[in-house]
Amino acid sequence: MEGMAPNALLADLEARGLIHDSTDRAALEARLEAGPITVYVGFDPTAPSLHAGNLLPLLMLKRFQDAGHRPIALAGGATGMVGDPSGRSDERNLLDDDALARHLAGIVPQLRQFLDFDRPGNPAKLLDNRAWTVGVSYLSFLRDVGKFVTVNQMASKDSVKNRMASDQGISYTEFSYMLLQAHDFAWLYENEGCEMQMGGSDQWGNIVLGLDLIRRKTQGSGFALTVPLLTKSDGTKYGKTAGGETIWLDAEAMSPYRFYQALIQTDDAEVRTLLLQLTLLPVEDVETLVADHLVAPHLRLGQRRLATELTTLVHGASAADAAGAASDVVFGGDARGLDASTLAVLAHEIPTMAFDRARLDDEGSLVPLLREAGIVASNGEAIRLLNQNGLSLNDSKVGPGAVIERSMLLHDRYLLVRKGKKQVHLFEFSDSDEARRERG
RNA sequence: GGGUCGGUGCCCGAGUGGUCAAAGGGAGCGGACUGUAAAUCCGCCGGCUUCGCCUACGUAGGUUCAAAUCCUACUCGGCCCA
């Protein structure tokens, strides 16, 4: 990627469907061919973690860096205090200082991990717009920024127009947001030589206002490039699981395993787009993969690759391997033959219940253990389940009267318990403290 | 305040003295099918020490051999009148 010519970059982005809109395309092409350019994308700390929807603009920075350009990831410590009205139908709640600090602490490392800050020639930068915003007085902001922008201009932006037309209206605070963003762009232009801002398509108005400000203040010119908002085939915004759960990038908020699962469950119709837009796989590879996928959709090759690529990108290769292995076990795999370390990973990813090894000596212990683990709600349900052939221990079906024997334990420790096809629990048996002490 | 109708299992909703753990539907859970989807089909679906027992039909009493079903009080909700 390192030596890729700039116009090749644009062509690649085009092929991936990553260009929603841009200012003067020919001029941009010429500018990219002329040499490295500095580009930035802003991320407001609206939550303690970025989510899947943020991946696309974040990866844009990476794509530009990989093509030899200088990326700036901008954390919106200042803009996050105000709230961007773009793409929203209602007023945001203001964040208090604590929440803002917490959110920033969460997303800054995430921004960091996607870019290379030590790359010779074009290292990435991570800036926080608080640095040049908090010290600015209201009066000077009005004089130095406000004077260059007309309200007519601001009011004509979709983000504002839509809200003006709504019952709820728009607060002066959120109305002012675009000025802050424009100010950021202008500041970066003057101080960091940043010529281009990228963002989701809903950012177009804000970005262009920044360009206007730059032109009027400095007679300079820059570029805007927006990426499409990721949407699912049903038109809704991407970034949530089928169940409506947000796909967080933070491992605490969503474990790598669940992240991987969220991606595995991608619709066939969306696989190609997501592979193109969210991974760094070459376009030809994606096309080959998609072709293979269509031949045998049940293998879910596309989904697997997507899940692996993104989990690796976000959580690292070993986490991706573990999530993949755990996933294979849960869906269709066989517990027997798993090594201890995979089982240990599994113990973190699926519901796991620890039991005292002594419980194994009780012949009738299966039903109570199932109950304690929350697998069944009553003895009656346990018996029903067994009668209906719905329970398996270490992937062999068991019927009424089944018992857990020590010899069944995997690595003398684990028992994989499946209820039906989708519910998987792990039992982990260990010695009680007393037993351990007695043995010395 | 008066009248009236009603409060049933996770939800909706039948049932008006025994054959009622209570029809039917939904949700949920198994099974088949399948691509970790949807649809469809089958089974289950109060608890327990499960051929029996216990707990349940707003709450508390009562009548009866027997009550979700009848009576009384209370309570909560809908509607109508004031």
Side-chain angles (χ1 to χ4, degrees), chain A residues 116-169:
Chain A
D116 185 347
F117 291 83
D118 303 313
R119 186 170 301 183
N122 63 330
K125 276 198 175 182
L126 177 64
L127 301 173
D128 183 337
N129 56 17
R130 275 182 306 187
W132 58 85
T133 308
V134 286
V136 177
S137 78
Y138 186 57
L139 286 176
S140 60
F141 188 78
L142 288 179
R143 293 175 66 92
D144 297 343
V145 179
K147 199 62 182 169
F148 293 104
V149 180
T150 66
V151 169
N152 311 44
Q153 215 180 345
M154 290 170 68
S156 70
K157 304 295 182 194
D158 282 347
S159 58
V160 172
K161 253 196 302 190
N162 296 341
R163 289 278 294 279
M164 299 263 273
S166 79
D167 295 339
Q168 229 195 349

Side-chain angles (χ1 to χ4, degrees), chain A residues 4-10 25-38 64 67-70 195 223:
Chain A
M4 187 189 269
N7 55 341
L9 172 61
L10 274 187
R25 180 64 182 276
L28 177 59
E29 192 115 27
R31 175 60 191 86
L32 291 178
E33 283 182 31
I37 186 175
T38 302
F64 270 80
H69 303 286
R70 289 183 297 269
E195 292 176 69
F223 303 93

